[in-house]
Amino acid sequence: MSVLIIGGGIGGLTTALALQRLGIPYQLFEAAPEIKPVGAGLWLPPNAMQIFQRLEIAEAIQQHAVLYRSLELRDFTGNLLKRLDVQRMIQKFGFGTYGIHRATLHQLLLQQLDDACVHTGKRLTALHIHPDEIHAEFADGSQARGEVLIAADGLRSTVRSLLFGETPLRYSGQTCWRGTIPYSSPDIPPDGTFEIWGPEAGLRAGLGYVDGGRVYFYLTLKQKPGKQLEAERLKPYLLKKYQLFPPFVQQLLEATEPEQLIHTDLYDFPPLNRWCSGRVALLGDAAHATTPNLGQGAAQAIESAYVLAHCLKQFPDHTAAFQTYEKMRRPKATLVNKLSWHYNQLVNFISPRNRGVVFNLIRLTPAFLDHLQLDRIYSVGYLSALENTVS
Ligand SMILES: Cc1cc2nc3c(=O)[nH]c(=O)nc-3n(C[C@H](O)[C@H](O)[C@H](O)COP(=O)(O)OP(=O)(O)OC[C@H]3O[C@@H](n4cnc5c(N)ncnc54)[C@H](O)[C@@H]3O)c2cc1C
């Protein structure tokens, strides 16, 4: 079995590592000229870490990342709305949630891969499917051949549109600015992360330390997609929006240059009917994009990568492998997509009139309900059937 992987994001890189660990030959093609140290911070929840442990890279990640000993939700006046039981999480799953810069994770994954199998500057433009193999064609005129192709080319996947036509994206109603800056503040716990909900729809701030003494933060607000602000207007605009938040949020913004902010309108798409067709399988955001409200998009890509690699090892017939992959992965990816979308709607629903009710609803939700939901997401127990047959 020879595998072509399209996309060198977290999904593609983890797929490459999982295949490599199983001795399955692969070639990875990334459109960007190099896998650059870009992006902002990222939370790696227990499900992602359990997969990384199986891929023998969890220790390296732990050495670079920050383990969050507290995970909290607060309102803009500083009241605690929810505190997750991190100790319970660690006892049950062996890992808590870690904060790491996306670029650090990319580098750690890349270091594990065989250089000769990773090709940059290769933007896939066309696919040619033959009875026994698949040919990928790239913008520079080159081609690659393999038995199967895994498309980890992101939310706006070229491969997905070549296979299934355009997938309409669903706008969350929210736009987001992210930054990761060297920073120090007594108001930000060295080993905790929290999200603060604001007084009106969509308004949130999340922050926590990641590796390198940097603070990762994100700011969301409700607005139409596609709105851009010139650099000189951006900070005054955000400072005004976040004026009712605790002062350390504004101080963090003051310390950030506009060019250090990454702006993203937040989209997903409702669960697809199919992830695979013929010799091609979609993976990560290309297959099951989700809004980032649960901090699970990359974690789901990581789970999919591990499962798909194991299915290809177990089933010499790629059709059986792809069917099993979809069957195993679809329920949780769909759950995450739906829960995250509902959470997003709740944040969009907040108004100065109803915010007291919403905040109380969150404060009074019993912990066991949170545990029920999180346990379903964080558990990777469903893997044992697959792992027992492969090993
Ligand atoms: C604001 C925000 C915060 C988030 N926070 C978290 C978090 O804390 N935890 C978490 O788990 N998830 C988080 N996510 C989600 C996470 O970022 C994504 O789910 C994850 O990056 C998806 O990985 P991927 O590899 O599938 O796709 P991508 O990261 O989009 O990678 C796709 C890759 O494919 C390449 N590519 C695209 N087209 C082609 C082509 N034609 N040919 C070749 N290569 C191509 C791209 O250059 C890119 O490198 C967040 C997302 C957002 C927007």
Side-chain angles (χ1 to χ4, degrees), residues 28-315:
L28 182 149
F29 301 91
E30 163 59 41
E34 52 179 312
I35 299 184
K36 279 199 252 166
V38 290
L42 189 75
W43 291 335
L44 285 176
N47 48 325
M49 292 303 293
Q50 288 172 88
I51 300 294
F52 282 144
Q53 184 180 39
R54 288 161 161 82
L55 295 176
E56 298 161 36
I57 191 177
E59 260 184 49
I61 291 171
Q62 283 172 308
Q63 278 165 19
H64 286 84
V66 174
L67 168 62
Y68 293 134
R69 303 243 169 228
S70 74
L71 294 165
E72 292 177 355
L73 183 60
R74 301 183 192 165
D75 73 17
F76 63 99
T77 64
N79 287 329
L80 183 71
L81 301 181
K82 191 174 290 297
R83 177 179 289 132
L84 295 183
D85 188 343
V86 174
Q87 227 17 66
R88 177 184 179 277
M89 207 186 272
I90 295 174
Q91 266 162 16
K92 202 167 168 79
F93 301 109
F95 294 96
T97 292
Y98 288 79
I100 191 166
H101 198 287
R102 192 179 287 262
T104 310
L105 179 62
H106 277 213
Q107 282 313 312
L108 289 171
L109 287 165
L110 209 50
Q111 277 164 17
Q112 300 284 321
L113 303 180
D114 181 347
D115 286 347
C117 299
V118 178
H119 313 276
T120 51
K122 297 283 176 189
R123 174 171 296 281
L124 179 135
T125 50
L127 285 176
H128 304 284
I129 298 163
H130 300 277
D132 299 327
E133 60 179 14
I134 184 155
H135 297 186
E137 201 174 296
F138 301 101
D140 63 0
S142 61
Q143 282 207 350
R145 296 159 173 225
E147 284 168 70
V148 295
L149 181 143
I150 299 175
D153 54 347
L155 174 72
R156 294 178 169 81
S157 164
T158 302
V159 177
R160 189 181 65 235
S161 43
L162 289 171
L163 281 186
F164 300 130
E166 279 310 310
T167 307
L169 301 186
R170 178 168 65 167
Y171 184 53
S172 67
Q174 289 175 36
T175 198
C176 177
W177 284 268
R178 281 174 285 172
T180 314
I181 59 161
Y183 193 69
S184 166
S185 161
D187 296 310
I188 305 174
D191 56 356
T193 187
F194 51 89
E195 184 168 282
I196 305 167
W197 284 20
E200 56 183 81
L203 209 57
R204 277 178 298 177
L207 54 152
Y209 280 95
V210 294
D211 48 307
R214 293 171 290 185
V215 171
Y216 162 53
F217 65 95
Y218 56 86
L219 307 169
T220 66
L221 55 91
K222 192 173 174 193
Q223 71 175 28
K224 291 205 171 104
K227 186 173 165 182
Q228 299 293 341
L229 284 178
E230 305 90 64
E232 63 275 17
R233 284 183 55 209
L234 180 57
K235 261 168 63 171
Y237 175 75
L238 291 176
L239 284 167
K240 185 151 185 272
K241 283 279 177 193
Y242 285 84
Q243 62 188 342
L244 293 181
F245 278 62
F248 59 83
V249 173
Q250 290 124 41
Q251 287 154 10
L252 190 54
L253 253 172
E254 292 281 14
T256 308
E257 296 303 326
E259 54 276 17
Q260 289 175 306
L261 288 169
I262 302 171
H263 182 208
T264 317
D265 288 333
L266 302 178
Y267 287 92
D268 74 351
F269 47 79
L272 299 177
N273 293 330
R274 300 168 71 186
W275 293 355
C276 305
S277 173
R279 295 184 171 273
V280 183
L282 304 177
L283 183 140
D285 278 9
H288 44 70
T290 173
T291 49
N293 299 290
L294 303 178
Q296 273 288 327
Q300 291 306 302
I302 291 160
E303 281 193 48
S304 285
Y306 184 82
V307 170
L308 182 49
H310 276 72
C311 289
L312 288 171
K313 181 77 180 175
Q314 187 184 355
F315 300 99

